[in-house]
Amino acid sequence: AQSYMVFGGIPYYMSYFKKGLSLEGNIDNILFGRNPRLKDEYNRLFNAIFSNPEDCKKIVRLLAKKHVGFTREEIAKETGLPFGGGLTDTLNALAESDFIQRYNPYDKKGKTTLYKLIDNFSLFWLKYVESYQANTNFMTDNIASNIMKSWRGVAFEELCWQHIGQIKQALGITGVASTISAWGVKGSDETEGAQIDLLIIRNDNVVNLCEMKFVGGAYTIDKDEEIKLRNRIETLKSTLSLKQTVHLTLVTTFGLSYGKHSGIVQKQVELDDLFN
């Protein structure tokens, strides 16, 4: 999974893996140091695929800054690219090449479209390779650092977005029409905000509120976490019709550790399900 979160499962990149080296050691050899295997791969990749690589890179660089994505208007403003047919064509090319994904944020009634970055390699390159490529042992040195913990959390969420089909299969809802979305609610002085990174809104009146957690073992829910989850569920319920119900769905590496607060989870999807 972590290899996929860096290289996107591309066989060409993975062909450089050496037996006997850890994942971190292989990533260091391929992307970091004075003369790594893929020293200028990011630029080469865009030049090979797109007729306007610089415009594409401007958009991807912007989208890497905010996990939920940007509107077309925001992209034009932040990148300086003309707001017109050319931008539309570029966004379509990036989407068709699986660099970005468009979606309608929940509770906007289809009026707003957001574009978010889902290309693992670009995300990792812009966040780490670009700044730390000269560090020969960047991954090995930071294996347990907060830098990598933060990256794994975001990259795992992107991996889940890329494997919606497998998630629906694990939930047994492949035959149910649905849309996917994300939703952020700002809190007030009295209430805490809620960030929901993946919703599966189904035509059978069920909404899967997906919590995605990348951890080294079974995931444990404590009292504080249960309170946060209940707040998110109730916040979402307040926007739904009486016919609809919410299923809290945990998507994690090795499942749930059962305990006093674990009963709040109704559905589970594990790492193996994502690669089924």
Side-chain angles (χ1 to χ4, degrees):
Q2 291 186 80
S3 168
Y4 196 100
M5 285 151 55
V6 175
F7 297 108
I10 304 300
Y12 169 67
Y13 297 157
M14 296 175 69
S15 70
Y16 288 122
F17 276 42
K18 292 184 178 179
K19 293 181 179 179
L21 287 181
S22 65
L23 172 65
E24 292 75 22
N26 272 300
I27 294 173
D28 282 333
N29 278 353
I30 296 170
L31 294 176
F32 295 93
R34 292 184 177 181
N35 192 30
R37 290 281 191 171
L38 300 178
K39 185 173 184 178
D40 196 38
E41 177 62 16
Y42 181 76
N43 293 315
R44 189 204 67 79
L45 179 64
F46 280 84
N47 290 334
I49 296 177
F50 301 105
S51 59
N52 57 340
E54 295 306 316
D55 289 349
C56 291
K57 286 190 288 186
K58 285 181 181 179
I59 294 172
V60 168
R61 182 177 294 277
L62 173 66
L63 298 189
K65 294 179 180 180
K66 190 164 69 173
H67 188 45
V68 296
F70 292 81
T71 65
R72 189 166 171 266
E73 292 79 5
E74 290 171 335
I75 292 171
K77 180 181 178 181
E78 295 294 329
T79 63
L81 297 174
F83 185 80
L87 178 58
T88 299
D89 291 342
T90 301
L91 290 171
N92 287 340
L94 285 166
E96 290 167 5
S97 303
D98 293 327
F99 279 82
I100 69 175
Q101 184 170 350
R102 58 174 72 88
Y103 72 96
N104 300 118
Y106 179 72
D107 210 27
K108 297 295 183 182
K109 299 181 180 179
K111 295 180 179 180
T112 302
T113 298
L114 289 177
Y115 297 84
K116 65 176 285 163
L117 178 63
I118 60 167
D119 181 66
N120 310 71
F121 185 75
S122 296
L123 179 66
F124 188 79
W125 187 284
L126 291 172
K127 283 189 173 293
Y128 305 110
V129 181
E130 193 171 70
S131 299
Y132 303 104
Q133 191 173 56
N135 185 342
T136 304
N137 300 310
F138 174 76
M139 283 295 290
T140 303
D141 291 345
N142 287 281
I143 185 172
S145 70
N146 289 332
I147 294 175
M148 287 294 101
K149 288 180 182 178
S150 175
W151 163 73
R152 290 186 188 104
V154 173
F156 184 64
E157 289 175 9
E158 301 299 0
L159 186 147
C160 292
W161 273 74
Q162 296 159 355
H163 292 80
I164 292 296
Q166 286 87 345
I167 291 175
K168 291 181 66 176
Q169 182 179 359
L171 294 174
I173 59 171
T174 52
V176 180
S178 63
T179 57
I180 63 171
S181 187
W183 186 37
V185 181
K186 293 182 180 180
S188 65
D189 293 338
E190 293 82 18
T191 62
E192 183 181 1
Q195 179 63 48
I196 300 172
D197 293 307
L198 179 60
L199 291 173
I200 303 176
I201 305 162
R202 297 155 44 178
N203 283 13
D204 61 357
N205 289 322
V206 175
V207 179
N208 291 94
L209 191 167
C210 298
E211 285 287 320
M212 296 163 283
K213 304 293 183 182
F214 188 92
V215 292
Y219 186 69
T220 301
I221 298 176
D222 59 17
K223 180 180 179 180
D224 290 340
E225 180 73 3
E226 182 183 2
I227 292 172
K228 290 180 181 179
L229 293 172
R230 290 194 181 280
N231 173 62
R232 293 176 187 177
I233 292 170
E234 293 305 315
T235 302
L236 179 58
K237 278 184 177 180
S238 68
T239 70
L240 301 175
S241 71
L242 295 177
K243 294 181 180 179
Q244 292 175 292
T245 185
V246 177
H247 285 180
L248 179 64
T249 304
L250 182 68
V251 186
T252 189
T253 38
F254 301 108
L256 179 65
S257 175
Y258 290 96
K260 183 177 179 180
H261 305 282
S262 63
I264 191 172
V265 176
Q266 292 170 287
K267 300 288 183 179
Q268 290 189 61
V269 178
E270 297 186 13
L271 194 62
D272 287 344
D273 297 318
L274 297 182
F275 293 94
N276 187 7

